[in-house]
């Protein structure tokens, strides 16, 4: 694939140009650290530095060439004034910063209006790089609360207890509970917190956007909770038959029905954490999916109960 | 690409940046290291080099043509267009930009964010985290189509991709991208579908192929005043109709965001609920089981009843 090779060649040219100002402002940086900053191996980096060593102004005598030393494992550069200023940001780069700043703005705007103003000013400066209209064309504002996320993520590494209020869609209720966040997972671009829940004495998965508030708890876990937490995670396997080929079935059950011309019904086994969730999910698919026993009984029972409401 | 070629590109960049006046091609070939061979092959090398530098976003100015003395074009790179210039940046601004870049770790634009950060860190300004939050937000989108769409948007290039429609059939779509916006953890592309000749919204994770850019840059214009966030929320949530629904007290939280309370009973409260997408509304009513009862409109009520009867039958 010649095109890809050409692209990677240009990536190297870009890196060479960007190395010069970086080294100039970080004289004496180790080859190892420089490799990490530029996401490349030490061998590649040494090749880069060797190439740069041959570059400079026309004439190419030691007077004109850049002077690079890295034999000691630490890099210094002299006589590199022409390339000393970093290159202008590309549109991609500027846009990545704008979107990051938008998210940061949402995170701080309520608590820190001064910083929020500072962020807006930066967004405006960067907008000039990508064209002024772009900020209204690409937007990621008002997303899931970033401060709740940061409390939970920070708790993961130190197994800290966090008190949350949670809107459970499955139970349709708002509860306050103490959880120990263990992992953050991103599924289908929705973020979940997997945690031990002290209220239910079991492991639970919480959707981040349904956590209404999160507050660090000051007290450590009890011995009893610690023992409960080490138990195996409970899972349920359900066998589901899908009769109607609809995108919602894939998305709600988080499965892959092959697309294309496959007719007839389709069987799938899925693992679920919550029976209540599965019953509701199957009902909301309105007949497109049928679950086998023993869970079928709970769907039939729930649907019959709902029908009673219409027959009064 | 060989190291020789890279060397030549770097030397060309340095020479064109350092020169105060335009350098002619013959001066370039004579003085810059690496231009070798016949004059045609030097010409070819130079044309390719110019292309490569332009691809890197380095703008080569052509000029210095004086018809009285010389008809040869000259070249240079203006230092002000080459170098990063965001005005004076403070230490706390550098810190904020670092957090913005950090938010892309592991997500679709992480490479772009990292190289932006390296450039900012090359300015030699000490970052100052004293007055700002130390935890970066987190970008979640990791679709490999995100970056191509961003590029198409900024360059006004048309794109084509396969899209999974509601019945799971796959169709090739041709779109002039106007904008992108996120909502509840999903990213959406908004653009003009040229086959349908209408504005359409596409959820990124429903694109089943890789996005291909087609045609020229600047091939279309975005309507004046276009605002992606506004259009998306109209398309996704704009109410089309209203239903009257009885909801069991303390239940049905997800239905009540824009509901209007009509009357209270013992166990149930009656609400008027505006809804946009009828199918999605039916799905969410069914999710709530016997905690909600539709009173009107009649056809919605009838449809819910028939689905419930079907569910009882198939699960008995």
């Amino acid at each position: 694939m010649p095109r890809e090779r050409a692209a990677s060649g240009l990536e190297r040219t870009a890196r060479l140009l960007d190395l010069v100002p970086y080294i100039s402002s970080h004289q004496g940086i180790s080859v190892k650290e420089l490799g990490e900053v530029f996401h490349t191996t030490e061998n590649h980096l040494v090749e880069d530095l060797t190439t740069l060593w041959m570059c400079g102004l026309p004439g190419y005598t030691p007077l004109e060439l850049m002077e690079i030393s890295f034999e000691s494992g630490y890099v210094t550069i002299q006589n590199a004034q022409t390339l000393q200023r970093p290159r202008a940001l590309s549109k991609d780069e500027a846009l990545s910063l704008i979107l990051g700043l938008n998210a940061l703005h949402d995170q701080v705007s309520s608590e820190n209006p001064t910083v929020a103003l500072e962020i807006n000013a930066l967004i405006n400066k960067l907008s000039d790089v990508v064209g002024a209209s772009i900020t209204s064309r690409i937007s990621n504002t008002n997303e899931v609360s970033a401060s709740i996320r940061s409390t939970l993520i920070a708790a993961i590494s130190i197994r800290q207890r966090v008190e949350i209020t949670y809107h459970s869609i499955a139970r349709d209720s708002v509860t306050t509970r103490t959880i120990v966040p263990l992992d953050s997972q991103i599924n289908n671009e929705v973020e979940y917190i997997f945690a031990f829940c002290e209220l239910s004495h079991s492991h639970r998965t919480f959707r981040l956007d349904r956590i209404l508030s999160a507050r660090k708890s000051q007290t450590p876990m009890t011995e009893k909770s610690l023992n409960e937490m080490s138990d195996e995670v409970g899972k349920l396997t359900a066998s589901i038959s899908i009769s109607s080929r609809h995108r919602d079935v894939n998305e709600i059950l988080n499965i892959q029905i092959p697309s294309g011309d496959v007719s007839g019904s389709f069987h799938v086994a899925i693992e679920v954490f919550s029976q209540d969730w599965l019953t509701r999910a199957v009902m909301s698919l309105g007949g497109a999916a049928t679950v086998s026993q023993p869970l079928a009984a709970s769907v039939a029972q729930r649907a019959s109960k709902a029908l009673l409401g219409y027959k009064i | 690409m060989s190291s020789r070629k890279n060397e030549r590109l770097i030397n060309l960049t340095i020479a064109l940046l350092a020169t105060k006046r335009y350098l002619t091609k013959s001066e370039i070939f004579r003085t810059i290291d690496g231009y070798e061979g016949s004059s045609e092959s030097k010409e070819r090398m130079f044309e390719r080099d110019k292309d490569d530098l332009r691809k890197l976003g380095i703008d080569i100015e052509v000029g210095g043509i004086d018809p009285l003395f010389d008809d040869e074009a000259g070249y240079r790179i203006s230092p002000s267009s080459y170098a990063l210039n965001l005005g004076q940046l403070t230490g706390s601004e550098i810190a904020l930009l670092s957090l913005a870049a950090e938010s892309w770790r592991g997500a679709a634009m992480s490479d772009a964010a990292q190289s932006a950060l390296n450039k900012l860190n090359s300015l030699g300004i000490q970052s100052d985290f004293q007055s700002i939050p130390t935890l970066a937000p987190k970008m979640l989108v990791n679709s490999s189509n995100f970056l191509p769409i961003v590029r198409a948007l900024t360059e006004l290039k048309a794109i084509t991709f396969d899209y999974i429609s509601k019945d799971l059939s796959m169709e090739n779509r041709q779109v002039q991208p106007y904008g992108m916006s996120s909502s509840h953890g999903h990213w959406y592309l908004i653009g003009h579908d040229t086959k349908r000749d209408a504005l359409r919204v596409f959820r990124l994770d429903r694109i089943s192929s890789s996005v291909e850019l087609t045609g020229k840059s600047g091939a279309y214009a975005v309507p004046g005043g276009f605002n992606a966030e506004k259009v998306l929320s109209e398309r996704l949530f704009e109410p089309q109709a209203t239903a009257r629904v009885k909801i069991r007290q303390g239940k049905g939280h997800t239905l009540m965001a824009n509901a209007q309370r009509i009357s209270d009973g013992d166990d149930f409260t009656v609400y008027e609920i505006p809804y946009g997408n009828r199918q999605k509304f039916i799905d969410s009513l069914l999710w709530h089981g016997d905690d909600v009862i539709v009173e009107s409109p009649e056809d919605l009520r009838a449809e819910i009843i028939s689905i419930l009867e079907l569910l009882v039958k198939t699960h008995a």
Side-chain angles (χ1 to χ4, degrees), chain B residues 10 17 54 120 139 156 218 265 274 286 313:
Chain B
I10 303 298
L17 260 177
R54 285 203 178 103
L120 292 164
M139 293 298 179
L156 297 171
L286 288 165
K313 208 174 98 194

Side-chain angles (χ1 to χ4, degrees), chain B residues 1 3 5 27 31 74 76 90 121 123 134 158 166 168 180 186 188 206 216 219-220 253 256-257 285 294 316:
Chain B
M1 194 185 288
S3 286
K5 159 113 186 182
E27 283 174 314
T31 58
R76 70 167 194 188
T90 64
N121 284 336
L123 291 168
T134 45
K166 276 186 189 152
L168 284 179
M180 265 209 282
H186 291 293
Y188 296 83
R206 291 174 182 157
K216 288 189 192 132
Y220 59 95
H253 297 292
M256 284 192 275
L285 290 168
V294 177

Side-chain angles (χ1 to χ4, degrees), chain A residues 6 9-10 12-14 16-18 21-22 25-26 37-39 51 54-58 60 66 82-83 85-93 95-97 99-101 103-104 107-108 112 115 118-119 122 125-126 134 136-143 149-150 167 169-173 184 186 188-191 245-248 250-251 257 259-260 277 280-284 286-287 289-291 293 296-297 299-300 302-307 309-311, chain B residues 1 3 6-7 9-11 14-15 17-18 31-33 52 55-56 58 81-84 86 88-89 92-93 96-97 99-101 103-104 109 112-116 118-119 121-123 131 133 135 137-142 150-151 153-154 156 163-168 170 177-187 203 205-206 222 226-229 250-254 283 286-290 293-294 301 304-305 307-312 314-315:
Chain A
L10 278 183
R12 181 158 179 240
T13 317
L16 290 168
L17 291 169
D18 294 340
Y22 197 89
S25 57
H26 295 80
V37 170
F38 282 86
H39 286 292
T51 302
M54 305 295 290
C55 296
L57 284 162
Y60 309 105
M66 291 188 279
T82 317
L83 292 182
R85 287 168 68 197
R87 290 191 300 139
L89 295 177
S90 70
K91 286 185 178 184
D92 291 352
E93 290 167 350
L95 202 57
S96 72
L97 295 177
L99 296 176
L101 287 169
L104 199 56
Q107 181 174 308
V108 303
N112 202 333
V115 173
E118 212 174 344
I119 292 172
L122 279 172
K125 279 186 186 180
L126 289 162
I134 211 75
S136 62
R137 291 178 56 209
I138 304 185
S139 118
N140 61 325
T141 47
N142 307 317
E143 273 293 321
R149 174 187 292 119
S150 58
H167 179 191
I169 298 276
R171 284 202 185 67
D172 198 9
S173 61
S184 89
I186 299 163
N188 220 353
E189 293 180 330
V190 176
E191 202 173 357
R245 302 169 52 71
H246 198 281
R247 195 174 61 194
D248 286 350
N250 272 4
E251 291 177 355
I257 304 175
S259 46
W277 170 79
R280 286 168 183 270
V282 167
M283 282 187 62
S284 75
T290 310
V291 63
Q293 296 294 358
V299 174
R302 204 171 150 78
S304 312
K305 248 174 103 186
L307 272 174
Y310 287 92
K311 286 176 178 158
Chain B
M1 194 185 288
S3 286
N6 265 313
E7 245 173 74
L9 283 173
I10 303 298
N11 281 327
I14 293 176
L17 260 177
T31 58
I32 296 175
D33 213 15
D52 284 342
K55 276 184 207 146
L56 290 175
I58 298 171
S81 79
Y82 176 86
L84 185 142
L86 293 173
Q88 280 296 338
L89 291 173
S92 84
E93 284 177 316
L96 288 171
L97 290 164
L99 287 176
S103 70
W104 284 104
M109 295 188 95
Q114 176 69 47
S115 62
N118 288 351
K119 287 175 179 177
N121 284 336
S122 302
L123 291 168
S131 59
L135 270 160
K138 195 167 177 209
M139 293 298 179
L140 302 175
V141 58
N142 57 14
V150 163
R151 289 192 176 138
L153 271 175
T154 49
L156 297 171
Y163 194 69
I164 303 172
S165 34
K166 276 186 189 152
D167 62 358
L168 284 179
M170 200 99 71
Y178 288 173
M180 265 209 282
S181 187
S182 66
S183 173
H184 296 278
H186 291 293
W187 275 89
R203 210 170 91 179
D205 62 334
R206 291 174 182 157
V222 176
F226 174 84
N227 181 303
E229 198 177 336
K251 298 289 181 181
H253 297 292
T254 57
D283 293 352
L286 288 165
W287 174 271
H288 291 285
D290 66 333
I293 301 160
V294 177
R301 183 181 159 94
I304 295 278
I305 291 174
I307 293 171
L308 289 171
E309 283 168 348
L310 174 72
L311 283 166
V312 173
T314 52
H315 286 88

Side-chain angles (χ1 to χ4, degrees), chain A residues 23-47:
Chain A
I23 301 167
S24 297
S25 57
H26 295 80
Q27 298 282 4
I29 187 172
S30 71
V31 173
K32 186 167 177 286
E33 195 187 338
L34 199 55
E36 281 162 13
V37 170
F38 282 86
H39 286 292
T40 189
T41 62
E42 282 184 46
N43 283 344
H44 279 144
L45 197 70
V46 167
E47 272 175 48

Side-chain angles (χ1 to χ4, degrees), chain A residues 55-69:
Chain A
C55 296
L57 284 162
Y60 309 105
T61 68
L63 274 181
E64 286 98 8
L65 288 173
M66 291 188 279
E67 201 177 298
I68 296 174
S69 103

Side-chain angles (χ1 to χ4, degrees), chain A residues 175-236:
Chain A
T175 53
T176 300
R177 57 181 83 204
T178 302
I179 63 169
V180 183
L182 300 170
D183 192 10
S184 89
Q185 298 160 353
I186 299 163
N187 237 331
N188 220 353
E189 293 180 330
V190 176
E191 202 173 357
Y192 300 88
I193 299 292
F194 182 67
F196 178 72
C197 170
E198 293 184 6
L199 184 71
S200 61
H201 307 284
S202 61
H203 292 83
R204 288 287 161 90
T205 306
F206 300 92
R207 261 186 80 133
L208 188 66
D209 59 353
R210 308 249 159 86
I211 299 177
L212 307 176
S213 72
R215 198 170 53 88
K216 284 182 229 165
S217 166
Q218 300 307 326
T219 51
M221 280 186 94
T222 61
E223 192 73 23
K224 183 165 165 278
S225 285
L226 274 169
N227 287 335
E228 284 172 344
M229 198 171 92
S230 60
D231 282 354
E232 278 282 297
V233 179
K235 268 189 192 167
L236 197 68

